Amino acid sequence: MRRNTHPQPLPCVDPIPSYAAAKQKGAAVQNNPHTTLITPDAPVATITHGGRAKCLQRLVRLDMPVPRTVALSFETVQAIADGHVPDIERILEQFDPTVLLCVRPSSEDPDWGGPGAVLNVGMNDARYVDLSDKMGADAAAALYLRFVQTYALHVARLDPDVFDDLLEDGQQGLSDTLRAYEEETDEPFPQDPGEQLAAVLQSMARAWDGTTARLLRQAKGAPADAGLGLVVQQMIPGLGRGECGSGVMQLVDPTTGQPQITGRYLSQSQGRDALGAGTGALYLARDERGPSLEDVAPEAYAELQQHAKLMRHKLREEMQVEFVIENGHAHILDGVRVPRSSRAAVQIAVRLAEDGIIPPQEALMRVDPHALNELLHRQVHPDAERDVLTTGIAASPGAATGQIVFTAAEAQASAARGEPCILVRRETSPEDVRGMHAAAAVLTEKGGMTSHAAVIGRGLGLPCIVGASGLRFVTKKRQLMAQDGRVFQTGDVLTIDGTSGQVLAGQPQMLEAALDDSFQTLMTWAEAECDIGIRANADTPADAQTAQNFNVQGIGLCRTEHMFFEPGRLTVMREMIFAQTPKGRAAVMERLLPIQRKDFVQLFRIMGGKPVCIRLFDPPLHEFLPTNRTGQRELAEALDLPVSDVERRVAAMSEYNPMLGLRGVRLGVTVPEIYDMQARAIFEATLEASQEGEPVVPEVMIPLVSACREVELVKTRIDAVAASVASEQGRDFDYRLGVMVETPRACLRADEIAPHCAFLSFGTNDLTQMTYGLSRDDAGRFMSAYVNQGVFSEDPFHVLDTDGVGELLQLGVQRGRESRPGITLSVCGEHGGNPESIAFCRAAGFDYVSCSPFRVPVARLAAAQLAISHQVGADP
Ligand code: PEP
Ligand code: MG
């Protein structure tokens, strides 16, 4: 016997006694009280029977024409999965013995999914004969065939290719399929409806227990012990002379969320005798092919619309109505929350609130902050030149550019360095999920819309292309070969356009996400609810503009060193590094002053008077020096020095532990000319930008402090620069000096440091690195192993470690506030944009969090949800 060899969601478990065997032996079938006929008053609840069962009861209460339905509780289904034979007689006695049944999953939250529905349970040779008389042999054969195929694949778990050669439909197809089933299983297709139903229930119950199913639903937020309910419903055969068919209808477009009747309808009556043949389809929307349902069954169409509107109002949700038309009359099989894109989720929530169906606070609670990422993704600009290497399957929308990497570990290392990367894999597996989290986009050679990479990519809102077989993936050599002969290797830059499926060479111009009115409305409501500030980490005018577009409260971190990497500045920076004396360094810095001043004026102007927190120079100087011989030779040329001098200097500056070496405030103390220049640039820019509007009050932040004396030394110089700029220009100005708390010692000594400054901003990236003694740049190598083995529950660079790093933060907050009440406290590490970490920051009493501009809406919504939950006394 050949069993299904494809990966299946079903777990491998011992066979359980079949219903037939149990019946034959007279074994006691489990008489479970959790099998409930759905009536208006039946004890059915979402937490015991799942969302679908509860929803069906609501529809019954609304007097909708819902076919008879029995609900099986989570407990019952778990018992079935554990090997107990369900009380089939008790279920069957609720139905007319002539009807067919369908079984559907009913998990607590419909988004957690569940096994696919099984239709036409009860179909057998006798009913086939009976239905052939009523609906024609081919139509009856189609029903039977569909059931046998579903049963064979999902219940008997036969290999799908058993049926590959059976091309015929209709009666011939049916008898071929029944024969193939018997050959494969050595048993005839089960004829007893009770036996069929028992086997279907068992297979669905066990599918829910499978590892893949569990991982997928946990990724959607389901708890590990989430239960599955099942509903068994009478099927409406759609027999009669009038219009018959089935379909779904909703009042919105699930992609855009715009109000528009959409759906599909498959007619059985329009001159077609085979249900499911796909040809006689009638479309609901008039701009599709063929007549509309409204044309062929106007009354049923109007009824359906009424039902959909009533559901929207009474169930307070945009619902998809699953229906059957029989003889021109509508039956409602189910109402499910309209599946929706993230964009549509925002539209729908906002419109429900605007229509007074739900309050704005509830609209806010209904949008998953993580899902906003999808809305916020950039696209390739429509006018951009596209160097298309191949087109694969567009599996997850949005576009991203990055350096290609070929393993998940490389992706994590790349993310730890802050470099966007494209994860290139033949196909992905669960081991790659951490790497996918870290990547800007994913590209796979194999797979389709429901392959691992596609499902996970969409879940993460990560641009993703799968099935890009037009490229040769030579992963051993870490190469991608295009059909035109071009070869791309690790580090080369590609762009993934997950919206069109195109893989592009290089970095085309991008278009920022279009954020519509509903998004803006949602953000306005969120802003009104937030009780923690949200700022952006923005280093460039472009970043600042993006941040302003999201109406941030200010810039919480401007990493000024990024400004020095720009062409033209780098050489000056290098000259400064090579200068022998403080005087020489100051002279070179003079040349950088106007450039920096211009940078800051731009930032101040864009932010229009909102606070801008500028961090003084942070990285070790050798990051600015070339590492290879060619670069060193070029530098020697530019500085008119012998190459050996350059080599010597580079060697002299190298450090064993650069992240713990001469960087941050340590440079400020030992090479003060850099901070002097930066402070002057900030203050001169302050006066320049203040001429045009609100006076600018810049925030100057000292990085990597570990001792109070460091602050005193730097503060003295900065105050002196401020005084001299004010006297030179004859104008006064205010500024706020702050300390970046990112070493454990600074947290512990916050009481000593706080009196010297107006604010403390906690840099949780370095703080995490130093608390764990874990290199930000190297952790990717073993992070997956650590998380997989449960050493860390999450990557602490991604989600704040509230236990260890969190305790240091709490100490810092407490000690800082005690010694300087009223001091501003914030978090500006990556964690500032992570919804889970924001919950901690809010509870710890931080005034604001600062995160990358595109995470601002996510952070704001998360913060709003926390505030709302706090008001109503529940977790979000
Ligand atoms: C930090 O360390 O948390 C931080 C924000 O600074 P950077 O990432 O630039 O080191
Ligand atoms: Mg830092």
Side-chain angles (χ1 to χ4, degrees), residues 557 559 615 618 663 740 742 763-766 776 828-829:
L557 173 64
R559 295 171 161 108
R615 179 179 75 184
D618 182 49
R663 53 168 286 220
M740 193 160 178
E742 47 187 345
T764 47
N765 303 335
D766 271 312
R776 281 164 75 172
C828 64

Side-chain angles (χ1 to χ4, degrees), residues 96-237:
D96 181 319
T98 61
V99 301
L100 298 180
L101 301 174
C102 71
V103 186
R104 296 167 199 271
S106 178
S107 53
E108 192 173 331
D109 180 333
D111 286 348
W112 299 345
V118 180
L119 309 183
N120 303 323
V121 180
M123 196 67 195
N124 55 18
D125 296 350
R127 283 190 187 165
Y128 168 61
V129 172
D130 186 37
L131 281 176
S132 295
D133 288 345
K134 292 181 179 140
M135 65 196 309
D138 278 349
L143 283 184
Y144 198 1
L145 180 61
R146 184 129 60 100
F147 177 51
V148 177
Q149 284 173 338
T150 310
Y151 192 96
L153 297 184
H154 298 290
V155 181
R157 296 169 47 72
L158 301 189
D159 200 319
D161 61 19
V162 167
F163 303 103
D164 273 1
D165 301 333
L166 310 180
L167 299 174
E168 298 271 346
D169 278 337
Q171 299 164 63
Q172 186 57 47
L174 174 63
S175 50
D176 291 348
T177 304
L178 284 168
R179 193 172 329 108
Y181 181 93
E182 189 163 348
E183 276 167 17
E184 285 299 315
T185 60
D186 299 329
E187 289 161 8
F189 186 74
Q191 295 294 304
D192 179 353
E195 186 183 342
Q196 292 174 356
L197 181 60
V200 168
L201 294 175
Q202 283 162 3
S203 78
M204 290 174 78
R206 286 181 165 192
W208 182 253
D209 266 359
T211 311
T212 307
R214 197 171 51 244
L215 286 177
L216 277 176
R217 66 177 175 265
Q218 280 177 0
K220 291 178 185 163
D225 60 350
L228 176 74
L230 292 172
V231 295
V232 182
Q233 190 178 60
Q234 170 186 341
M235 292 194 67
I236 306 292

Side-chain angles (χ1 to χ4, degrees), residues 503-526:
V503 181
L504 311 169
Q507 184 166 15
Q509 191 193 349
M510 293 280 185
L511 184 68
E512 301 307 336
L515 301 168
D516 55 27
D517 290 350
S518 294
F519 174 81
Q520 303 298 359
T521 306
L522 192 82
M523 282 299 110
T524 310
W525 291 341

Side-chain angles (χ1 to χ4, degrees), residues 591-760:
R591 284 161 49 207
L592 281 175
L593 174 68
I595 308 177
Q596 275 265 276
R597 186 172 55 224
K598 202 163 145 222
D599 292 333
F600 297 139
V601 169
Q602 269 183 299
L603 284 186
F604 294 148
R605 282 196 180 133
I606 292 169
M607 295 313 293
K610 290 179 182 174
V612 176
C613 179
I614 297 166
R615 179 179 75 184
L616 299 173
F617 194 88
D618 182 49
L621 287 178
H622 63 76
E623 282 192 12
F624 293 83
L625 295 178
T627 47
N628 59 23
R629 276 198 70 81
T630 321
Q632 290 171 4
R633 207 172 34 246
E634 280 166 9
L635 180 59
E637 251 167 46
L639 302 182
D640 197 19
L641 290 171
V643 75
S644 56
D645 275 13
V646 173
E647 283 167 3
R648 241 192 322 274
R649 190 85 180 111
V650 170
M653 290 187 73
S654 94
E655 294 176 302
Y656 288 106
N657 280 315
M659 291 305 277
L660 302 179
L662 183 55
R663 53 168 286 220
V665 68
R666 298 162 198 172
L667 279 171
V669 170
T670 58
V671 192
E673 298 79 18
I674 306 175
Y675 282 10
D676 286 354
M677 180 281 286
Q678 289 197 299
R680 176 167 282 275
I682 293 169
F683 298 141
E684 290 181 359
T686 298
L687 288 174
E688 194 174 329
S690 296
Q691 282 169 347
E692 298 146 17
E694 287 286 298
V696 172
V697 181
E699 296 179 350
V700 181
M701 183 154 75
I702 312 170
L704 212 78
V705 165
S706 58
C708 180
R709 182 75 186 135
E710 290 169 326
V711 184
E712 286 170 1
L713 287 173
V714 172
K715 185 175 180 330
T716 308
R717 286 189 81 112
I718 291 177
D719 285 342
V721 174
S724 88
V725 171
S727 97
E728 280 157 28
Q729 304 217 4
R731 287 164 58 207
D732 235 347
F733 58 89
D734 284 333
Y735 74 97
R736 302 177 79 220
L737 188 80
V739 162
M740 193 160 178
V741 180
E742 47 187 345
T743 64
R745 193 174 192 282
C747 289
L748 297 169
R749 308 305 291 170
D751 50 344
E752 240 172 46
I753 295 169
H756 298 282
C757 45
F759 63 91
L760 297 178

